Amino acid sequence: MRDFILATARIVVGILCFVVMWELLVRLLEIPPFMLPSPARVAAAFQDRWVFLLYHASLTAYETFLGFVFGVLAGTILALAMWLSPLARRAMLPVILVTQALPVFAIAPILVLWLGFGLASKVVMAVLVIFFAVTSTFFDGLRRTDSGLVDLACLYRVSRLKELMFFRIPAALPALASGIRIAAVFAPIGAIVGEWVGAKGGLAFIMLQSNARMQADVMFAALILLALMVLTLRFSVDALTRRMVPWQLED
């Protein structure tokens, strides 16, 4: 509890210092509000339109959560399939690499064209952004199982499936946890990119509309909500993965 309080206090102090420097910068350099609004203007915009902002933030949060869950599931299943079947690995690996080589902004318009402006295109975009991190880290953990555990599995002549279930998956859980932590940071990017290309709502939709109307204070309020969403998701995933691998030591 003491460590949690200290960590929270450091975060709060860091945020307050950043806000003070931001306010001083705007005042001293006399930056126009349409270019860089002051923290006071952003706070006023949030106070005036908090219902509107929170509604659209909830849309982005829902898209991000679904994309994160499905992306982690897809990455985990792909990694398991690639380890179990060399044929599946040879078939899927080029497809996986191609999806990561293409820029997300190039894929997003196609997904919107195929799936429309609704929820599906945003969730699929988030899945495409994050599943590779989960797949690559988990698959690498499955392949790099301690040789002593592999020898033990061979000694007992267990089947390949039992070797996976009782030896390789437990040993690869720390690698999977690392992939999930990475996915938690990048999941909102997929949802935002999907909204940026075409959406009926969401934080990116607000930012586009505000930018067109030169309402920089509303755009910054949406950005702050997005940052809070990313931090909340990351801290939640950190707590979850620590429970998933309690034996893994952390500095």
Side-chain angles (χ1 to χ4, degrees):
M1 180 61 68
R2 181 183 177 184
D3 292 340
F4 175 76
I5 294 174
L6 290 175
T8 304
R10 285 195 294 267
I11 293 173
V12 171
V13 170
I15 292 174
L16 290 176
C17 291
F18 175 76
V19 170
V20 171
M21 293 176 61
W22 179 4
E23 184 73 32
L24 291 175
L25 179 67
V26 172
R27 290 179 180 272
L28 293 176
L29 299 181
E30 298 182 351
I31 302 174
F34 66 87
M35 293 183 64
L36 181 62
S38 66
R41 283 181 175 271
V42 176
F46 187 81
Q47 182 179 2
D48 294 338
R49 310 184 68 175
W50 66 272
V51 175
F52 171 77
L53 288 167
L54 289 180
Y55 168 73
H56 286 276
S58 67
L59 296 178
T60 302
Y62 185 55
E63 295 163 356
T64 300
F65 176 75
L66 289 181
F68 173 75
V69 171
F70 288 126
V72 170
L73 287 176
T76 303
I77 293 171
L78 280 173
L80 292 173
M82 289 169 60
W83 186 85
L84 283 171
S85 172
L87 179 61
R89 180 168 64 248
R90 289 193 294 268
M92 291 189 296
L93 190 57
V95 178
I96 293 172
L97 293 177
V98 167
T99 61
Q100 300 305 303
L102 293 175
V104 289
F105 275 103
I107 303 174
I110 300 174
L111 292 178
V112 172
L113 179 64
W114 288 349
L115 304 174
F117 291 93
L119 177 67
S121 59
K122 316 307 179 292
V123 173
V124 172
M125 176 57 63
V127 170
L128 289 176
V129 169
I130 70 174
F131 87 96
F132 179 75
V134 180
T135 302
S136 60
T137 53
F138 191 33
F139 180 62
D140 191 58
L142 292 173
R143 288 194 305 170
R144 298 179 184 276
T145 303
D146 184 80
S147 58
L149 294 176
V150 177
D151 292 340
L152 184 63
C154 294
L155 178 64
Y156 283 96
R157 298 180 180 179
V158 298
S159 65
R160 188 169 176 83
L161 183 60
K162 288 184 177 181
E163 178 187 346
L164 176 67
M165 293 295 297
F166 296 108
F167 293 93
R168 292 190 179 267
I169 288 181
L173 283 179
L176 176 60
S178 298
I180 294 175
R181 293 188 189 107
I182 297 171
V185 175
F186 287 102
I189 296 176
I192 289 295
V193 169
E195 292 176 356
W196 206 274
V197 173
K200 300 177 182 178
L203 291 177
F205 175 80
I206 291 179
M207 287 186 275
L208 284 173
Q209 297 294 321
S210 303
N211 183 54
R213 299 170 184 172
M214 301 186 71
Q215 297 175 332
D217 51 352
V218 179
M219 184 168 61
F220 271 78
L223 284 171
I224 291 171
L225 284 175
L226 178 61
L228 291 175
M229 185 189 308
V230 173
L231 290 175
T232 302
L233 180 60
R234 177 55 196 264
F235 289 149
S236 301
V237 168
D238 278 345
L240 177 64
T241 52
R242 280 197 296 269
R243 289 179 177 273
M244 188 173 72
V245 284
W247 62 86
Q248 186 179 25
L249 298 178
E250 296 183 3
D251 295 332

